[in-house]
Amino acid sequence: MKKFYLLTPGPTPVPQDVLNEMANPIIHHRTPNFKAIFKETNELLKYVFQTTNPIITFASSGTGAMEASVVNTLSKGDKAIVIIGGKFGERFMEICKAYGVEVIEVKVNNGDAVDSLVIKDLLKKNSDVKAVFATLCETSTATLTDIKSIGEVIRDTKAILIVDAISGLGADVLKTDEWGVDMVVSGSQKGLMMPPGLAFLSVSKKAIELVEKSTLPKYYFNLKKALKTLEKDDTPWTPAVSLVIGLRKSLQMIKEEGIENVYARHAKMSEATREACKAMGLTLLSSSPSNAVTAAWSPQGISGKEIVKFCRDKHEVFIAAGQGELEEKIFRVAHLGYMKKFDIIIAISAVEIALKTLGYKFQFGKGLAKAEEILSTC
Ligand SMILES: *Cc1c(COP(=O)(O)O)cnc(C)c1O
């Protein structure tokens, strides 16, 4: 008999009620029926993004909205600051470079968060910077960036702040308008409890000024077109109808729980996961841990990939290895989206059994006991 547990930082599990919504017969998108659904969904998105700005939905993975944020705001030769703390910061840099944007790289060590004073200083020295790219949760290192403080140093400059919140949205606190985030990029398959296939991009007034001037090539991801049709609860191209219908349901669930409670649930699950890892004698990668995912160094002599493979092949528990240079060195457990406390128990138990079988010496059950202790109070 097969029974699997998806505990990766994307895709994440999808609630049955959401799956059921998406199993309904397909409807046409240029109809009052779909437009009403799309309108309601867009209002719910604003609640989760904590913004009054319009939010564009693309039929693509999250990277599509990352690309859209670049090609719609910048022009060839423009200067941008990109904070690079791992694989996804790197991706913003790669997209910028692919379009001929001049990148000022702000590299931070794996697991560390950037100091906003570094950004402040760079902006002072480079008053012609058009955009600053940051990542709310750098999923590859499980690290949270302090977006609020970065927003403060950018607010009174000409530059706009673009934040990749693909994994962070709905897990880590993000106050788009209050913190002055001009563009928030996200995707469906992480905190929003949906399958992959939708990408989102919120657009502030300050960002629209750049959109008006941007000359980088674009066609499918044309924000001007998308913003114009959005006013009529419509899209330039065929939307991913079933996914939008599913999204309305998952966003309703988030609203019902209340965004503050959703953050609190993620905070508790992440605390339990971190403390359980420490109780097993493991060291965490991040000094600024996210609520969405936890990364721990794998013990001496055991590769992170081996732990992940063992959990998958022996127990059908899907956790994640590292990415890039961290592939063998760490393993990552997500506590993201449609997850609750007993998902953490499953993850920690699977990791303990894997570590013990692979020869790591520690007191069996110690991590589990710690997780239970923390989670029993919620
Ligand atoms: C998952 C993720 C992405 C990539 O999203 P895709 O949907 O795979 O294109 C980008 N940034 C972050 C921070 C992510 O976690």
Side-chain angles (χ1 to χ4, degrees):
M1 199 268 273
K2 286 203 167 284
K3 177 158 187 177
F4 74 94
Y5 303 89
L6 184 61
L7 303 169
T8 53
T12 61
V14 178
Q16 189 63 51
D17 284 353
V18 175
L19 293 170
N20 289 349
E21 281 287 310
M22 295 188 295
N24 281 311
I26 196 77
I27 60 172
H28 197 273
H29 54 293
R30 312 280 186 217
T31 56
N33 185 12
F34 181 76
K35 284 185 181 185
I37 293 169
F38 191 49
K39 185 178 178 163
E40 186 186 346
T41 307
N42 287 328
E43 286 308 312
L44 288 162
L45 275 174
K46 287 182 186 179
Y47 169 73
V48 176
F49 277 62
Q50 300 195 45
T51 186
T52 56
N53 294 333
I55 301 171
I56 300 302
T57 298
F58 297 110
S60 77
S61 84
T63 305
M66 291 174 80
E67 180 154 339
S69 74
V70 173
V71 300
N72 283 283
T73 55
L74 302 175
S75 302
K76 202 167 177 185
D78 275 354
K79 244 190 227 177
I81 293 174
V82 182
I83 299 162
I84 306 173
K87 173 116 174 122
F88 294 109
E90 223 165 72
R91 186 168 302 179
F92 259 148
M93 181 264 288
E94 287 168 1
I95 297 169
C96 284
K97 288 193 172 166
Y99 284 99
V101 171
E102 193 186 318
V103 175
I104 301 174
E105 296 179 26
V106 178
K107 289 217 167 98
V108 286
N109 291 332
N110 285 330
D112 287 344
V114 73
D115 181 348
S116 63
L117 292 178
V118 173
I119 309 299
K120 188 176 181 173
D121 205 43
L122 276 173
L123 282 169
K124 228 180 238 162
K125 287 187 193 131
N126 302 273
S127 58
D128 53 345
V129 162
K130 294 266 172 65
V132 177
F133 292 88
T135 313
L136 176 62
C137 166
E138 174 50 76
T139 321
S140 65
T141 65
T143 299
L144 177 70
T145 303
D146 181 356
I147 299 299
K148 187 180 178 200
S149 71
I150 296 175
E152 276 162 18
V153 305
I154 293 175
R155 194 182 284 273
D156 297 322
T157 70
K158 278 199 202 123
I160 59 167
L161 173 57
I162 300 176
V163 172
D164 170 355
I166 294 179
S167 63
L169 187 75
D172 292 308
V173 178
L174 175 63
K175 298 186 188 290
T176 300
D177 290 355
E178 204 179 305
W179 295 355
V181 185
D182 296 293
M183 286 186 148
V184 173
V185 177
S186 201
S188 52
Q189 78 276 24
K190 311 231 169 147
L192 298 184
M193 313 190 290
M194 281 282 297
L198 294 179
F200 312 101
L201 184 57
S202 75
V203 192
S204 75
K205 287 209 174 72
K206 192 175 172 187
I208 285 176
E209 283 173 34
L210 283 187
V211 170
E212 297 294 337
K213 293 185 199 135
S214 159
T215 60
L216 284 180
K218 55 218 159 237
Y219 191 86
Y220 179 84
F221 290 112
N222 188 317
L223 254 191
K224 271 199 212 164
K225 276 202 175 96
L227 285 165
K228 198 149 185 238
T229 51
L230 185 68
E231 286 171 16
K232 289 174 271 166
D233 309 313
D234 207 348
T235 54
W237 334 113
T238 309
V241 173
S242 304
L243 290 173
V244 170
I245 290 170
L247 179 65
R248 176 176 63 164
K249 183 73 199 169
S250 71
L251 295 174
Q252 282 168 343
M253 289 174 69
I254 290 173
K255 186 150 190 205
E256 206 168 293
E257 185 177 352
I259 192 73
E260 297 296 334
N261 296 328
V262 172
Y263 294 146
R265 172 165 54 81
H266 284 85
K268 202 74 180 174
M269 292 192 295
S270 63
E271 182 199 348
T273 306
R274 288 194 301 273
E275 293 306 316
C277 286
K278 286 195 241 166
M280 284 182 247
L282 301 175
T283 309
L284 301 173
L285 168 61
S286 183
S287 58
S288 169
S290 159
N291 283 345
V293 55
T294 294
W297 295 102
S298 50
Q300 193 91 47
I302 301 171
S303 97
K305 254 172 104 176
E306 260 183 288
I307 298 168
V308 171
K309 189 173 183 308
F310 185 95
C311 289
R312 182 190 67 210
D313 294 349
K314 297 279 188 230
H315 303 300
E316 294 182 86
V317 174
F318 293 78
I319 59 172
Q323 293 168 281
E325 64 189 43
L326 292 170
E327 190 176 358
E328 303 278 344
K329 295 179 182 160
I330 61 168
F331 66 91
R332 294 175 298 151
V333 174
H335 17 80
L336 181 56
Y338 187 53
M339 294 191 199
K340 285 184 82 172
K341 60 182 161 188
F342 289 105
D343 293 302
I344 305 307
I345 298 299
I346 289 166
I348 299 302
S349 178
V351 168
E352 282 201 339
I353 293 169
L355 286 174
K356 189 172 163 63
T357 311
L358 294 171
Y360 176 55
K361 298 274 179 291
F362 72 114
Q363 199 185 324
F364 202 40
K366 215 140 179 230
L368 211 42
K370 192 71 194 174
E372 284 182 346
E373 189 188 311
I374 293 167
L375 293 168
S376 60
T377 61
C378 68

